[in-house]
Amino acid sequence: MTDAQETAADSSLRTTGGAPPDDVESAPIPLLEPRDGIPPVIADDASLAEVIAAFAAGSGPVAVDAERASGYRYGQRAYLVQLRREGAGTALIDPVACPDLSGLGEAISGVEWVLHAATQDLPCLREIGMVPTRLFDTELAGRLAGFPRVGLGAMVESVLGFVLEKGHSAVDWSTRPLPEPWLRYAALDVELLVDLRDALEKELDRQGKLEWAQQEFDAIAQAAPAPPRKDPWRRTSGMHKVRRRRQMAVVRELWETRDRVAQRRDISPGKVLGDAAIVEAALSLPANVHALAALNGFGHRMGRRQLEQWQAAVDRAKALPDAELPQPGQPVTGPPPPRAWADKDPAAAARLSAARAAVSALAEELNMPQENLITPDTVRRVCWEPPSPDSESVAAALAGYGARPWQVEQVTPVLVASLRAKA
């Protein structure tokens, strides 16, 4: 970074309210370049040991990011890990060549990690041994501070006055060797992350929301890994068209067959067989390979062996006894869909309508998205089985559903008023 760029960054860091200075708006916004150049990719134990020592000896927070190959490879593993810390510079690590980064994770375990959209990267980082004890999520901070656009590029531009290089976010990061433009893009993702963190901390403090943000960050850092989804095949796109249990069994068999093939070949399931083709086969229940090949998604450039594989899955589903067919819909935990409330429980529907309006008004007053103030599911649960309409009971109910203390403090009064009004 040049002296002029550093001066521009320092001045923009002093701005508040998510807007760059007036002179930044009128002048061309500089395209950011890695201040230390593009570092070599770490792909051996000796180089990794040097990085671990450097980052352990560094100072201040650590900017962390990871690149996956979603849409190309099976699963959500990391194919590149980027870090930056004062005194250590930027490191790009190949987690395929260095699959165990627990030593690095331990070296910076007591340090605050700065991530953008942390919940997206934490699962793949956990797989390679990197688990933070403290973190700062710049995307979530932007949401709480009321920024209308919270993507990393938009935040860096509006807060720091720089333009990040775009165009490589959706590439196949499993490619080896990684092209230099991709590595530049990856290095830039952590280049100003700590600067952005510092600016957002000041803005949150100015708005009186810094403690709220810290509670949110702590909740993310302390959250247990998400359990595997139950019946993931039910999330097949277009599943709403499938009504009959026999057809649902076809979706399940095709989905599970596709998943096994995708895992074995280490390829994205969508590249093996599209969701639309699965639903088409379920609705048509083809009698043989010839009929299957006539369906959209199966005939074009698909070999006989593949067609026989898919037809075998269809035939397995068609042969199942009725007792083994999937039930229509998953077991419901919690309240029914809100669209059904007016018929099932008009009083609950009235409570929900009042509560939603009150929470929406409060979120607007606090200048943050409604779902960050309190999750819609929590509001539904409180309204479906309402506690006593007093502050203590409502606060206890909110806490029981996982609301953070700041959320309980802010939302309890408006929910109490809504419950009393519709009692």
Side-chain angles (χ1 to χ4, degrees):
M1 184 183 292
T2 66
D3 291 341
Q5 287 174 324
E6 287 180 352
T7 301
D10 288 343
S11 66
S12 62
L13 282 170
R14 290 195 292 270
T15 67
T16 59
D22 291 340
D23 59 333
V24 172
E25 289 185 344
S26 59
I29 299 177
L31 183 67
L32 189 64
E33 288 288 338
R35 69 189 84 177
D36 302 325
I38 303 173
V41 177
I42 303 303
D44 61 82
D45 291 342
S47 300
L48 178 60
E50 293 178 5
V51 166
I52 292 173
F55 275 79
S59 61
V62 180
V64 182
D65 190 28
E67 305 295 347
R68 299 177 298 280
S70 303
Y72 298 93
R73 296 289 184 175
Y74 184 86
Q76 294 294 317
R77 67 175 295 185
Y79 283 94
L80 187 70
V81 176
Q82 310 101 280
L83 304 97
R84 184 174 179 84
R85 190 181 191 191
E86 186 70 28
T90 298
L92 304 179
I93 303 174
D94 180 357
V96 177
C98 302
D100 182 6
L101 297 186
S102 57
L104 176 59
E106 291 169 7
I108 57 174
S109 64
V111 178
E112 181 186 83
W113 296 16
V114 184
L115 301 100
H116 193 81
T119 54
Q120 295 183 20
D121 287 340
L122 289 180
C124 70
L125 291 171
R126 184 180 289 111
E127 287 182 358
I128 53 179
M130 296 186 64
V131 182
T133 55
R134 298 166 48 210
L135 64 83
F136 190 106
D137 186 333
T138 50
E139 184 201 49
L140 181 52
R143 290 180 183 277
L144 295 175
F147 283 80
R149 297 167 60 223
V150 293
L152 180 59
M155 294 289 288
V156 167
E157 185 173 333
S158 64
V159 177
L160 303 181
F162 287 92
V163 174
L164 288 178
E165 186 173 333
K166 301 176 183 178
H168 302 303
S169 61
V171 299
D172 181 2
W173 287 96
S174 68
T175 300
R176 292 297 183 271
L178 286 165
E180 183 176 306
W182 299 11
L183 295 175
R184 179 184 296 106
Y185 167 91
L188 289 174
D189 269 359
V190 292
E191 181 77 15
L192 289 180
L193 210 49
V194 173
D195 293 335
L196 181 60
R197 171 239 181 271
D198 292 343
L200 289 172
E201 181 181 58
K202 292 176 183 177
E203 179 60 19
L204 288 167
D205 189 38
R206 186 187 72 81
Q207 295 185 23
K209 299 175 180 176
L210 185 56
E211 173 58 28
W212 301 0
Q214 197 55 61
Q215 289 181 27
E216 293 298 304
F217 303 155
D218 290 345
I220 295 173
Q222 295 164 12
R229 288 189 183 277
K230 181 178 174 57
D231 292 345
W233 57 270
R234 292 183 184 270
R235 296 175 63 84
T236 302
S237 180
M239 190 69 190
H240 63 281
K241 303 175 186 176
V242 182
R243 302 292 187 184
R244 292 159 47 195
R245 295 174 62 198
R246 184 71 58 185
Q247 295 172 332
M248 293 170 61
V250 172
V251 172
R252 181 176 64 186
E253 287 291 338
L254 286 170
W255 190 98
E256 292 177 349
T257 300
R258 179 184 70 174
D259 195 64
R260 289 192 295 270
V261 172
Q263 187 170 13
R264 185 178 71 247
R265 294 171 55 191
D266 189 18
I267 188 172
S268 170
K271 289 187 176 295
V272 175
L273 186 68
D275 280 9
I278 290 178
V279 171
E280 182 89 0
L283 296 176
S284 302
L285 297 175
N288 50 47
V289 168
H290 180 74
L292 181 70
L295 300 178
N296 289 333
F298 288 95
H300 183 58
R301 291 186 299 179
M302 187 172 286
R304 175 82 183 188
R305 192 171 178 180
Q306 289 177 292
L307 287 170
E308 289 175 347
Q309 170 183 256
W310 304 126
Q311 184 62 44
V314 173
D315 292 342
R316 286 194 299 273
K318 290 165 70 175
L320 285 174
D322 288 351
E324 296 180 22
L325 297 177
Q327 295 298 321
Q330 296 171 287
V332 176
T333 58
R339 62 179 177 273
W341 286 31
D343 293 330
K344 290 178 178 291
D345 189 338
R351 287 193 296 269
L352 181 62
S353 178
R356 280 174 161 173
V359 169
S360 178
L362 178 59
E364 187 171 347
E365 179 184 330
L366 295 174
N367 190 29
M368 69 173 63
Q370 186 173 328
E371 63 271 18
N372 291 114
L373 174 59
I374 192 73
T375 68
D377 180 67
T378 298
V379 176
R380 286 194 294 269
R381 289 173 184 270
V382 168
C383 292
W384 184 251
E385 295 181 349
S388 299
D390 60 78
S391 296
E392 185 175 347
S393 299
V394 171
L398 289 172
Y401 292 130
R404 263 69 73 190
W406 77 270
Q407 294 175 314
V408 173
E409 180 182 1
Q410 294 297 318
V411 174
T412 293
V414 299
L415 288 185
V416 168
S418 298
L419 296 177
R420 285 177 177 169
K422 299 300 177 180

